[in-house]
Amino acid sequence: MAREKLLLLGFGNVARHLAAFYASGADSSRLVFATTRSAEHVAEIESLGIEPVLLDGTSSFERLQSLSEGSFVLVSFPPDGTTDAIISQICKAAAKVVYISSTGVYGGHEGIIDHLTPVDEAAEGAGGRIAAETLWLRNGNTVVLRAPALYSADYGLHKRLASGHYKLPGDGERFTSRIHMEDLARIIDAVFLSDIESGAYPVGDVCPCTQKEIVTWLCQKFDLPFPDSMPLEKAHHTQKGNRQIDPSYLLQRLNIRLLYPSYRDFFAD
Protein backbone atom coordinates (compact mmCIF):
# COMPACT_ATOMS: atom_id res chain seq x y z
CA MET A 1 0.00 0.00 0.00
CA ALA A 2 1.40 3.38 -0.99
CA ARG A 3 2.09 5.66 1.90
CA GLU A 4 0.75 9.04 0.88
CA LYS A 5 -1.02 10.84 3.70
CA LEU A 6 -0.77 10.68 7.47
CA LEU A 7 -3.39 12.43 9.58
CA LEU A 8 -2.49 13.03 13.21
CA LEU A 9 -5.58 13.55 15.34
CA GLY A 10 -4.04 15.28 18.33
CA PHE A 11 -0.45 16.47 18.42
CA GLY A 12 0.95 15.36 21.76
CA ASN A 13 4.04 13.30 22.53
CA VAL A 14 3.06 10.21 20.55
CA ALA A 15 2.13 12.14 17.41
CA ARG A 16 5.29 14.24 17.63
CA HIS A 17 7.48 11.16 17.84
CA LEU A 18 5.73 9.54 14.89
CA ALA A 19 6.16 12.71 12.83
CA ALA A 20 9.84 12.84 13.81
CA PHE A 21 10.22 9.18 12.87
CA TYR A 22 9.01 9.88 9.34
CA ALA A 23 10.97 13.12 9.05
CA SER A 24 14.17 11.26 10.00
CA GLY A 25 13.93 9.12 6.88
CA ALA A 26 11.31 6.43 7.36
CA ASP A 27 9.13 8.19 4.79
CA SER A 28 10.02 11.85 4.52
CA SER A 29 7.92 12.17 1.34
CA ARG A 30 4.62 11.55 3.10
CA LEU A 31 2.19 14.41 3.48
CA VAL A 32 1.55 14.89 7.19
CA PHE A 33 -1.41 16.76 8.69
CA ALA A 34 -2.01 17.41 12.39
CA THR A 35 -5.05 18.73 14.20
CA THR A 36 -5.05 21.34 16.92
CA ARG A 37 -7.78 23.22 18.76
CA SER A 38 -5.47 26.13 19.52
CA ALA A 39 -4.52 28.77 16.95
CA GLU A 40 -1.41 29.37 19.05
CA HIS A 41 -0.03 25.96 18.01
CA VAL A 42 -0.47 26.46 14.26
CA ALA A 43 2.90 28.14 13.70
CA GLU A 44 4.73 25.50 15.73
CA ILE A 45 3.18 22.66 13.70
CA GLU A 46 4.04 24.45 10.45
CA SER A 47 7.65 24.87 11.60
CA LEU A 48 7.95 21.08 11.76
CA GLY A 49 6.95 20.70 8.12
CA ILE A 50 3.46 19.51 9.05
CA GLU A 51 0.25 21.05 7.75
CA PRO A 52 -1.97 22.14 10.67
CA VAL A 53 -5.71 21.56 10.72
CA LEU A 54 -7.34 24.00 13.12
CA LEU A 55 -10.51 22.49 14.56
CA ASP A 56 -12.68 25.56 14.89
CA GLY A 57 -16.06 24.64 13.41
CA THR A 58 -18.11 22.50 11.05
CA SER A 59 -15.94 23.29 8.04
CA SER A 60 -12.87 21.87 9.78
CA PHE A 61 -14.67 18.57 10.37
CA GLU A 62 -15.57 18.47 6.67
CA ARG A 63 -11.91 18.91 5.84
CA LEU A 64 -10.99 16.11 8.24
CA GLN A 65 -13.30 13.75 6.41
CA SER A 66 -11.65 14.60 3.10
CA LEU A 67 -8.14 14.25 4.53
CA SER A 68 -8.89 10.94 6.21
CA GLU A 69 -10.16 9.19 3.08
CA GLY A 70 -7.57 6.61 2.05
CA SER A 71 -5.12 7.92 4.66
CA PHE A 72 -3.36 6.49 7.67
CA VAL A 73 -4.81 8.09 10.80
CA LEU A 74 -3.27 8.24 14.26
CA VAL A 75 -5.67 9.01 17.12
CA SER A 76 -3.84 10.07 20.27
CA PHE A 77 -6.08 12.62 21.96
CA PRO A 78 -7.63 11.72 25.34
CA PRO A 79 -11.31 10.71 25.39
CA ASP A 80 -13.80 13.37 26.40
CA GLY A 81 -17.05 11.48 25.89
CA THR A 82 -17.98 13.40 22.74
CA THR A 83 -15.18 13.90 20.22
CA ASP A 84 -14.51 10.22 19.50
CA ALA A 85 -18.15 9.64 18.56
CA ILE A 86 -17.96 12.43 15.97
CA ILE A 87 -14.51 11.87 14.51
CA SER A 88 -14.68 8.06 14.38
CA GLN A 89 -17.61 8.47 11.98
CA ILE A 90 -15.66 10.99 9.94
CA CYS A 91 -12.76 8.54 9.54
CA LYS A 92 -14.72 5.51 8.30
CA ALA A 93 -13.03 5.70 4.89
CA ALA A 94 -9.47 5.86 6.24
CA ALA A 95 -7.05 3.22 4.95
CA LYS A 96 -6.19 2.33 8.54
CA VAL A 97 -6.57 3.93 11.96
CA VAL A 98 -4.30 3.43 14.96
CA TYR A 99 -5.92 4.44 18.23
CA ILE A 100 -3.56 4.93 21.18
CA SER A 101 -5.17 3.64 24.34
CA SER A 102 -3.81 2.71 27.76
CA THR A 103 -3.06 -0.48 29.66
CA GLY A 104 -5.15 1.16 32.36
CA VAL A 105 -8.17 -0.49 30.72
CA TYR A 106 -6.97 -3.76 32.29
CA GLY A 107 -7.65 -2.24 35.70
CA GLY A 108 -7.42 -4.78 38.50
CA HIS A 109 -6.19 -7.66 36.36
CA GLU A 110 -2.80 -8.70 37.74
CA GLY A 111 0.07 -10.78 36.42
CA ILE A 112 0.82 -11.30 32.74
CA ILE A 113 -1.35 -9.24 30.38
CA ASP A 114 -1.50 -10.26 26.73
CA HIS A 115 -3.76 -9.80 23.68
CA LEU A 116 -6.32 -12.21 25.14
CA THR A 117 -6.72 -10.42 28.49
CA PRO A 118 -10.15 -8.77 28.78
CA VAL A 119 -10.64 -5.19 29.88
CA ASP A 120 -11.80 -4.41 33.40
CA GLU A 121 -14.94 -2.36 32.84
CA ALA A 122 -15.10 -1.46 36.53
CA ALA A 123 -11.56 -0.04 36.57
CA GLU A 124 -11.17 3.46 37.96
CA GLY A 125 -10.71 5.99 35.18
CA ALA A 126 -11.03 3.41 32.37
CA GLY A 127 -14.65 3.87 31.32
CA GLY A 128 -14.07 6.72 28.89
CA ARG A 129 -11.11 4.99 27.30
CA ILE A 130 -12.99 1.70 26.85
CA ALA A 131 -15.95 3.54 25.32
CA ALA A 132 -13.66 5.35 22.87
CA GLU A 133 -11.97 2.09 21.89
CA THR A 134 -15.37 0.57 21.16
CA LEU A 135 -16.39 3.47 18.92
CA TRP A 136 -13.26 3.27 16.81
CA LEU A 137 -13.25 -0.53 16.57
CA ARG A 138 -16.79 -0.49 15.15
CA ASN A 139 -15.38 0.98 11.93
CA GLY A 140 -13.46 -2.22 11.19
CA ASN A 141 -10.35 -0.32 10.06
CA THR A 142 -8.86 0.37 13.50
CA VAL A 143 -6.05 -1.18 15.50
CA VAL A 144 -6.03 -0.18 19.16
CA LEU A 145 -2.62 -0.10 20.84
CA ARG A 146 -2.85 -0.20 24.63
CA ALA A 147 0.32 1.45 25.87
CA PRO A 148 1.85 1.46 29.37
CA ALA A 149 4.07 4.26 30.74
CA LEU A 150 5.78 6.18 27.93
CA TYR A 151 9.27 7.61 28.11
CA SER A 152 11.97 9.29 26.03
CA ALA A 153 15.05 11.37 26.75
CA ASP A 154 12.88 14.32 27.74
CA TYR A 155 9.89 12.60 29.28
CA GLY A 156 9.19 9.88 31.82
CA LEU A 157 9.90 8.60 35.30
CA HIS A 158 13.53 9.74 35.28
CA LYS A 159 12.36 13.33 34.87
CA ARG A 160 9.87 13.04 37.72
CA LEU A 161 12.55 11.60 39.98
CA ALA A 162 14.92 14.43 39.09
CA SER A 163 12.22 17.01 39.85
CA GLY A 164 11.63 15.52 43.30
CA HIS A 165 7.89 15.21 42.65
CA TYR A 166 7.72 11.41 42.54
CA LYS A 167 6.70 9.25 45.51
CA LEU A 168 6.96 5.47 45.48
CA PRO A 169 3.48 3.88 45.73
CA GLY A 170 3.32 1.55 48.74
CA ASP A 171 6.29 -0.80 49.05
CA GLY A 172 7.08 -0.53 45.33
CA GLU A 173 6.70 -4.26 44.74
CA ARG A 174 3.93 -3.96 42.15
CA PHE A 175 4.94 -4.71 38.57
CA THR A 176 4.88 -2.08 35.86
CA SER A 177 5.72 -1.88 32.17
CA ARG A 178 6.80 0.93 29.86
CA ILE A 179 7.76 1.60 26.26
CA HIS A 180 10.10 4.08 24.62
CA MET A 181 8.23 6.48 22.35
CA GLU A 182 10.56 5.77 19.43
CA ASP A 183 9.64 2.10 19.66
CA LEU A 184 5.97 3.01 19.85
CA ALA A 185 6.36 5.13 16.70
CA ARG A 186 7.97 2.19 14.89
CA ILE A 187 5.13 -0.10 15.98
CA ILE A 188 2.52 2.39 14.74
CA ASP A 189 4.25 2.58 11.36
CA ALA A 190 4.45 -1.22 11.15
CA VAL A 191 0.73 -1.51 11.93
CA PHE A 192 -0.11 0.95 9.15
CA LEU A 193 1.81 -1.18 6.65
CA SER A 194 0.58 -4.55 7.90
CA ASP A 195 -2.47 -6.66 7.19
CA ILE A 196 -3.12 -7.27 10.89
CA GLU A 197 -6.79 -7.52 11.68
CA SER A 198 -8.71 -4.82 13.47
CA GLY A 199 -8.55 -5.34 17.22
CA ALA A 200 -6.89 -4.28 20.46
CA TYR A 201 -3.34 -5.24 21.41
CA PRO A 202 -1.12 -4.37 24.38
CA VAL A 203 2.29 -2.88 23.65
CA GLY A 204 5.29 -2.48 25.92
CA ASP A 205 8.90 -3.46 26.31
CA VAL A 206 9.81 -7.05 27.07
CA CYS A 207 11.18 -6.49 30.58
CA PRO A 208 8.43 -5.54 33.03
CA CYS A 209 9.76 -4.96 36.53
CA THR A 210 8.66 -3.75 39.93
CA GLN A 211 8.33 -0.04 40.58
CA LYS A 212 11.03 -0.29 43.22
CA GLU A 213 13.45 -1.95 40.81
CA ILE A 214 13.26 0.73 38.16
CA VAL A 215 13.32 3.58 40.69
CA THR A 216 16.38 2.11 42.39
CA TRP A 217 18.20 1.66 39.07
CA LEU A 218 17.39 5.17 37.83
CA CYS A 219 18.42 6.78 41.12
CA GLN A 220 21.76 4.98 41.00
CA LYS A 221 22.23 5.78 37.31
CA PHE A 222 21.58 9.51 37.69
CA ASP A 223 22.87 9.90 41.25
CA LEU A 224 19.46 10.89 42.61
CA PRO A 225 18.12 10.46 46.14
CA PHE A 226 15.73 7.59 46.61
CA PRO A 227 12.19 9.04 46.84
CA ASP A 228 9.84 8.89 49.80
CA SER A 229 6.93 6.47 49.74
CA MET A 230 3.20 7.12 49.89
CA PRO A 231 0.39 4.82 51.03
CA LEU A 232 -0.83 2.81 48.05
CA GLU A 233 -4.42 3.93 48.63
CA LYS A 234 -3.35 7.56 48.16
CA ALA A 235 -1.56 6.92 44.87
CA HIS A 236 -3.14 7.85 41.54
CA HIS A 237 -5.04 4.94 40.00
CA THR A 238 -2.45 4.74 37.20
CA GLN A 239 0.16 3.80 39.83
CA LYS A 240 -1.86 1.07 41.50
CA GLY A 241 -1.65 -1.54 38.75
CA ASN A 242 0.29 -4.76 39.11
CA ARG A 243 0.69 -5.81 35.49
CA GLN A 244 3.38 -7.44 33.37
CA ILE A 245 2.60 -6.51 29.77
CA ASP A 246 3.41 -9.23 27.23
CA PRO A 247 3.60 -7.62 23.74
CA SER A 248 4.99 -10.73 22.03
CA TYR A 249 1.91 -11.52 19.93
CA LEU A 250 1.88 -8.11 18.25
CA LEU A 251 5.66 -7.91 17.86
CA GLN A 252 5.71 -11.32 16.18
CA ARG A 253 2.80 -10.46 13.90
CA LEU A 254 4.55 -7.26 12.84
CA ASN A 255 8.00 -8.92 12.65
CA ILE A 256 9.51 -6.05 14.62
CA ARG A 257 12.25 -5.98 17.24
CA LEU A 258 12.36 -3.23 19.83
CA LEU A 259 15.27 -0.82 19.86
CA TYR A 260 14.96 -0.68 23.63
CA PRO A 261 13.75 -4.02 25.04
CA SER A 262 14.13 -2.54 28.54
CA TYR A 263 14.67 0.86 30.09
CA ARG A 264 18.26 -0.17 30.82
CA ASP A 265 19.00 -0.39 27.09
CA PHE A 266 18.04 3.23 26.50
CA PHE A 267 19.80 4.66 29.55
CA ALA A 268 22.88 2.42 29.32
CA ASP A 269 25.15 5.05 27.74
Side-chain angles (χ1 to χ4, degrees):
M1 182 184 295
R3 299 194 292 183
E4 297 178 351
K5 288 189 298 182
L6 172 66
L7 175 59
L8 305 172
L9 298 180
F11 199 60
N13 274 332
V14 176
R16 290 169 185 270
H17 277 78
L18 183 62
F21 174 69
Y22 288 125
S24 68
D27 188 357
S28 57
S29 64
R30 174 178 291 177
L31 296 173
V32 182
F33 303 83
T35 64
T36 178
R37 294 183 181 274
S38 172
E40 297 177 357
H41 294 159
V42 167
E44 176 194 0
I45 293 172
E46 287 178 332
S47 72
L48 298 172
I50 299 169
E51 185 169 337
V53 180
L54 182 61
L55 299 182
D56 58 358
T58 303
S59 60
S60 59
F61 285 122
E62 292 173 351
R63 187 180 182 212
L64 276 189
Q65 184 167 9
S66 175
L67 289 175
S68 69
E69 292 178 358
S71 300
F72 294 135
V73 177
L74 174 68
V75 185
S76 60
F77 59 83
D80 61 11
T82 302
T83 307
D84 289 291
I86 298 171
I87 298 187
S88 63
Q89 293 300 301
I90 288 173
C91 294
K92 279 189 171 182
K96 187 170 289 185
V97 175
V98 171
Y99 178 86
I100 302 301
S101 185
S102 165
T103 54
V105 299
Y106 296 115
H109 294 313
E110 297 190 349
I112 296 175
I113 304 294
D114 62 17
H115 65 294
L116 298 177
T117 304
V119 299
D120 178 2
E121 295 185 1
E124 182 181 358
R129 186 67 75 178
I130 294 171
E133 285 187 5
T134 301
L135 287 168
W136 285 98
L137 287 170
R138 284 175 183 168
N139 287 352
N141 62 354
T142 299
V143 170
V144 171
L145 299 180
R146 294 169 174 162
L150 305 177
Y151 75 98
S152 65
D154 301 320
Y155 178 84
L157 178 58
H158 60 298
K159 289 294 185 179
R160 293 184 64 198
L161 285 168
S163 72
H165 294 154
Y166 179 84
K167 292 184 182 295
L168 189 69
D171 61 7
E173 295 299 332
R174 303 176 77 80
F175 275 85
T176 180
S177 294
R178 66 207 66 254
I179 188 168
H180 192 282
M181 283 193 278
E182 187 175 354
D183 275 325
L184 181 57
R186 293 171 63 243
I187 290 171
I188 294 168
D189 176 61
V191 169
F192 282 146
L193 299 178
S194 76
D195 60 359
I196 193 167
E197 58 274 11
S198 177
Y201 308 89
V203 294
D205 67 24
V206 297
C207 295
C209 64
T210 64
Q211 296 160 326
K212 187 175 181 179
E213 178 183 336
I214 185 172
V215 167
T216 298
W217 192 89
L218 288 171
C219 287
Q220 292 174 347
K221 175 68 178 179
F222 294 104
D223 193 23
L224 298 170
F226 194 83
D228 295 332
S229 297
M230 71 166 71
L232 185 62
E233 60 272 16
K234 291 187 177 181
H236 191 269
H237 64 83
T238 57
Q239 296 181 296
K240 295 179 182 179
N242 189 17
R243 298 183 288 266
Q244 301 172 61
I245 301 302
D246 176 7
S248 58
Y249 178 82
L250 184 66
L251 296 181
Q252 290 169 9
R253 285 292 308 273
L254 299 177
N255 192 28
I256 189 170
R257 296 183 65 179
L258 299 179
L259 297 174
Y260 309 109
S262 81
Y263 61 90
R264 290 185 178 91
D265 295 295
F266 177 71
F267 290 113
D269 296 332

